Amino acid sequence: MDHNSTRLGFNATTSGAFQSTFSSTTSFFPNASTQATNPTCSGQSETFNWILIVFYSLFFIFGLVGNLFALWVFVFLQASRNSVRIFLINCAVADLVLLACLPFRIFYHVNKNQWVLGSVACKTIGNLFYMNMYISITLLGCISLDRFLRLKGKSRARRGLRVRLFGRSWPWGYAVCSGLWALSILGLIPMIATAEDKEFDGKCFQYKQRKDGAKGKAYFNAVLVVMFWLVFITMVVSYARVAAQLLKVSRDKPDLPNSQRYQRTAKKSFFVLFLFTICFAPYHAFRPVYIISQLNETISCDSMTLIDRANEVMLLFSAFNSCLDPVMYFLLSGSVRKTAFRALGLSLGVRLRSLNDATSNSSTMDYRRQSVPFVRKVNDSTPNSSGGNTQRTSLVAAPSGGHI
């Protein structure tokens, strides 16, 4: 009896110590036990869901209209076959594919974060969204590089780099875009085929922890973050050099016919870079925090929820780029500008025509000189007192809009 009593007392003491230790561990990692029993603790609130629904719906409507209009102009109205046009066409296609993924996200949030189409469809839609986002990022970087190479090149190099394929010379944009789509599709297949950490539980577009076999996806996302910052640095350097060169020419040679337009083109370059920074930089600045948290097995439920919501907000900015890209097309392409002005009826009236001219650069519009008065002789056979004719000189304005 004494021995049993001693053993029971020891077990009670050990059990109490274990409970005390477990309680202190739980308090050090708040809600850690909740995460273990409820893997979906990072679900969004109903209010936050409706915020996502409203913004994604607006992005889908305006982005669809703008990109379809731009694609129509590029394919059917623009006659040039340069690399920038090729990049813009592929960028519009990538934006349209990304926009096609938004109705699935909208339906998911309307259905209170319950996915009913299966795990394969979930992974396909999610990875298509990200794939086309990074295709757009890469194409914008290629456009900035192309503009820089044209500015620094001489003679034929200013028309753009060309490669020889199938016995014919093509703009380098064909090779770049073909390779980009091929690599993207090859990267998409394993992302869809690879299993997640746990069985499908009806959730999609949610925060997922990367454990065991799924850690490779986290590392792949880290590579994409590095790629983004390389593209971002390329754009900053390219557009800064382009703008500096144009401003230098405009300042050093103010008498050139297109001097003022060089200044406007330089400002457009900075505006394109500004749009790129606003849409993509916040998401990729926060992305390392998101990836590290996915690899952390002791993250609390509160931290998981906070990181998940912050990531969704940053992702809204990235999706917003699909609406702003048509604005970029408007700035970079004279065909889009002129077609948009005609469609909106802005070609009527002197004031609206001057607005059209003000937004055109030297590569798309002819330089038109302003009205300059000059003196010419006009025969005016007015008889004078001596019976002869007197020729009178009059001041006549030169016609405006004449070509040089």
Side-chain angles (χ1 to χ4, degrees):
M1 291 294 292
D2 294 339
H3 176 72
N4 291 337
S5 299
T6 303
R7 187 171 62 179
L8 288 175
F10 175 77
N11 290 339
T13 304
T14 305
S15 176
F18 176 77
Q19 291 178 358
S20 176
T21 304
F22 180 78
S23 300
S24 62
T25 304
T26 305
S27 62
F28 183 75
F29 296 110
N31 294 329
S33 60
T34 305
Q35 179 196 352
T37 58
N38 184 18
T40 60
C41 69
S42 61
Q44 287 109 13
S45 65
E46 185 175 354
T47 302
F48 190 76
N49 278 346
W50 279 106
I51 292 174
L52 297 178
I53 291 169
V54 170
F55 277 102
Y56 280 134
S57 299
L58 293 175
F59 295 165
F60 176 74
I61 295 171
F62 289 105
L64 186 66
V65 172
N67 283 281
L68 284 176
F69 175 77
L71 192 62
W72 172 64
V73 172
F74 293 144
V75 174
F76 296 105
L77 299 183
Q78 194 175 38
S80 62
R81 293 293 184 270
N82 56 23
S83 295
V84 171
R85 173 179 175 269
I86 298 168
F87 290 138
L88 292 178
I89 289 176
N90 283 269
C91 193
V93 171
D95 283 339
L96 288 173
V97 177
L98 185 148
L99 290 168
C101 299
L102 295 186
F104 295 94
R105 282 182 170 264
I106 295 170
F107 174 76
Y108 173 72
H109 294 302
V110 169
N111 200 35
K112 298 182 179 179
N113 293 353
Q114 291 297 319
W115 183 259
V116 296
L117 300 179
S119 61
V120 175
C122 171
K123 289 189 288 186
T124 301
I125 298 300
N127 286 286
L128 272 177
F129 179 91
Y130 286 103
M131 183 191 81
N132 287 277
M133 183 180 77
Y134 283 104
I135 288 177
S136 297
I137 290 172
T138 306
L139 291 173
L140 292 176
C142 291
I143 290 172
S144 67
L145 184 60
D146 183 88
R147 290 167 70 86
F148 172 73
L149 294 176
R150 289 192 185 197
L151 180 69
K152 303 300 290 185
K154 297 181 180 180
S155 62
R156 293 184 179 181
R158 292 186 182 275
R159 303 176 188 174
L161 299 176
R162 303 184 71 86
V163 294
R164 194 163 189 84
L165 295 173
F166 308 110
R168 183 179 174 184
S169 179
W170 302 83
W172 73 294
Y174 282 102
V176 172
C177 293
S178 299
L180 180 60
W181 283 103
L183 289 175
S184 299
I185 294 174
L186 289 176
L188 177 68
I189 294 174
M191 294 294 285
I192 296 175
T194 304
E196 296 290 346
D197 298 318
K198 52 185 174 56
E199 295 297 327
F200 180 69
D201 58 356
K203 296 294 181 181
C204 192
F205 316 124
Q206 293 287 115
Y207 179 97
K208 299 182 182 68
Q209 283 200 290
R210 303 300 187 185
K211 301 177 183 178
D212 302 328
K215 284 186 177 181
K217 293 186 177 182
Y219 299 140
F220 180 74
N221 289 332
V223 172
L224 293 178
V225 172
V226 174
M227 184 203 76
F228 166 80
W229 288 112
L230 291 176
V231 173
F232 182 77
I233 293 172
T234 300
M235 290 189 66
V236 171
V237 173
S238 298
Y239 278 124
R241 296 291 295 273
V242 169
Q245 184 69 20
L246 293 175
L247 291 174
K248 182 177 182 298
V249 173
S250 177
R251 182 179 63 254
D252 295 344
K253 300 179 181 179
D255 295 334
L256 286 178
N258 296 319
S259 176
Q260 296 299 320
R261 290 177 182 173
Y262 289 155
Q263 293 183 9
R264 287 194 293 269
T265 303
K267 293 177 181 178
K268 292 173 189 176
S269 299
F270 283 117
F271 183 71
V272 173
L273 184 60
F274 172 76
L275 294 183
F276 187 88
T277 303
I278 290 297
C279 292
F280 295 123
Y283 176 78
H284 288 88
F286 181 76
R287 194 65 173 170
V289 177
Y290 185 85
I291 295 173
I292 292 173
S293 71
Q294 287 183 307
L295 298 173
N296 184 6
E297 298 181 4
T298 59
I299 185 173
S300 67
C301 184
D302 292 337
S303 299
M304 184 186 299
T305 302
L306 179 62
I307 291 175
D308 184 28
R309 292 186 181 181
N311 183 74
E312 288 291 343
V313 172
M314 302 299 178
L315 195 61
L316 280 178
F317 283 95
S318 296
F320 186 41
N321 179 76
S322 61
C323 296
L324 296 180
D325 273 347
V327 178
M328 180 197 66
Y329 307 150
F330 183 86
L331 293 175
L332 296 181
S333 173
S335 298
V336 174
R337 283 196 301 272
K338 290 183 286 186
T339 304
F341 281 131
R342 285 196 298 267
L344 297 175
L346 297 181
S347 60
L348 301 176
V350 176
R351 180 179 177 183
L352 298 179
R353 280 200 303 270
S354 64
L355 178 62
N356 191 353
D357 292 337
T359 58
S360 301
N361 56 35
S362 59
S363 62
T364 57
M365 297 289 290
D366 292 325
Y367 172 72
R368 298 178 182 272
R369 66 181 180 184
Q370 297 178 348
S371 301
V372 179
F374 66 95
V375 178
R376 73 177 183 184
K377 292 183 179 181
V378 180
N379 291 330
D380 188 3
S381 57
T382 304
N384 55 18
S385 58
S386 60
N389 293 334
T390 301
Q391 288 186 343
R392 181 169 55 87
T393 301
S394 62
L395 188 65
V396 182
S400 62
H403 297 282
I404 292 182

